[in-house]
Amino acid sequence: NAGVTQTPKFRVLKTGQSMTLLCAQDMNHEYMYWYRQDPGMGLRLIHYSVGEGTTAKGEVPDGYNVSRLKKQNFLLGLESAAPSQTSVYFCASSPHPIQGGLDTQYFGPGTRLTVL
Amino acid sequence: DAKTTQPTSMDCAEGRAANLPCNHSTISGNEYVYWYRQIHSQGPQYIIHGLKNNETNEMASLIITEDRKSSTLILPHATLRDTAVYYCIVRVLNTGGFKTIFGAGTRLFVKA
């Protein structure tokens, strides 16, 4: 089991460029999430998904779009990157309560994004 | 979900117990207390959670006061690898992790 993986690990963009961050999990989890973390702050939820084909907005969704076409993948897109989106991005997944087990989130290693 | 208050930072000597407090005075009856930690540059890691009773697992113990307005995470024998930011979170169980709100946490420094 690889758990939760994120691609890429690092990226530098220029203002206005677009990119997609990929999150993949091999634990058959229903729920997936994208967070951003800025210095001195906790994690803030950008978007989340409660199942394949569904997405919803979190605390800070503006400037981001997401898609969950396959259960194991959750993509985060930046259509026109801005310096304010410089951050570390974490993906996470968790099982549906019906699946049993601990109601906890499993996090990926993060993607460091810099927008110049 | 209830808000939590934690100290900004704490020190602990290696081999000693680390006791990390958390206040959650507005917690409601169906909200659980969760603890995660984040070691530098890594994603957060689940530690433990509980409702009313004290809990223990291979990583830590969780002590919840009788009125449930505060709790303490105990790392019984802290090691240098336990240096991390520790997050105390309260939320309703089984509503999905999307209701998990991570605050600033407590930065624990374990010193040799």
Side-chain angles (χ1 to χ4, degrees):
Chain A
N1 267 1
V4 179
T5 57
Q6 293 182 230
T7 309
K9 289 186 170 54
F10 303 93
R11 186 71 186 267
V12 177
L13 290 178
K14 293 181 179 177
T15 297
Q17 287 185 316
S18 63
M19 79 161 295
T20 300
L21 281 67
L22 171 64
C23 176
Q25 53 96 3
D26 60 3
M27 297 173 283
N28 199 35
H29 285 169
E30 288 294 331
Y31 298 165
M32 295 187 75
Y33 322 82
W34 275 107
Y35 292 89
R36 61 176 288 173
Q37 185 171 37
D38 301 297
M41 300 180 70
L43 284 81
R44 291 184 291 170
L45 182 65
I46 305 171
H47 285 280
Y48 63 95
S49 168
V50 299
E52 182 178 320
T54 72
T55 63
K57 295 180 180 179
E59 301 171 73
V60 289
D62 294 341
Y64 305 95
N65 56 75
V66 288
S67 64
R68 182 105 182 262
L69 299 179
K70 294 183 179 180
K71 185 177 182 179
Q72 64 268 33
N73 295 336
F74 195 29
L75 279 65
L76 178 71
L78 286 73
E79 291 185 347
S80 180
S84 61
Q85 294 178 304
T86 293
S87 188
V88 180
Y89 292 85
F90 289 101
C91 175
S93 70
S94 65
H96 190 282
I98 294 177
Q99 289 180 297
L102 292 174
D103 181 25
T104 62
Q105 292 177 291
Y106 297 80
F107 284 81
T111 295
R112 291 186 176 276
L113 175 67
T114 301
V115 183
L116 302 175
Chain B
D1 294 323
K3 183 179 175 180
T4 63
T5 305
Q6 298 177 252
T8 303
S9 65
M10 295 181 64
D11 290 344
C12 178
E14 188 179 21
R16 305 297 295 268
N19 299 293
L20 289 86
C22 179
N23 286 323
H24 31 80
S25 58
T26 60
I27 192 170
S28 59
N30 63 345
E31 287 184 312
Y32 283 67
V33 180
Y34 281 76
W35 284 84
Y36 283 77
R37 74 179 182 183
Q38 186 174 21
I39 296 171
H40 181 62
S41 298
Q42 298 180 21
Q45 175 191 24
Y46 165 83
I47 302 173
I48 198 168
H49 75 287
L51 182 64
K52 285 191 264 191
N53 300 323
N54 298 337
E55 302 287 344
T56 296
N57 63 19
E58 64 279 3
M59 289 182 69
S61 294
L62 174 60
I63 308 298
I64 303 174
T65 58
E66 194 169 340
D67 63 8
R68 301 208 327 120
K69 292 185 177 182
S70 65
S71 61
T72 301
L73 178 75
I74 300 173
L75 307 178
H77 304 287
T79 70
L80 298 179
R81 288 178 296 179
D82 291 322
T83 292
V85 177
Y86 288 78
Y87 298 99
C88 170
I89 297 153
V90 292
R91 67 176 178 88
V92 178
L93 185 66
N94 290 344
T95 58
F98 52 85
K99 287 192 181 290
T100 302
I101 298 175
F102 289 80
T106 295
R107 188 171 295 276
L108 176 68
F109 294 96
V110 180
K111 300 182 177 180

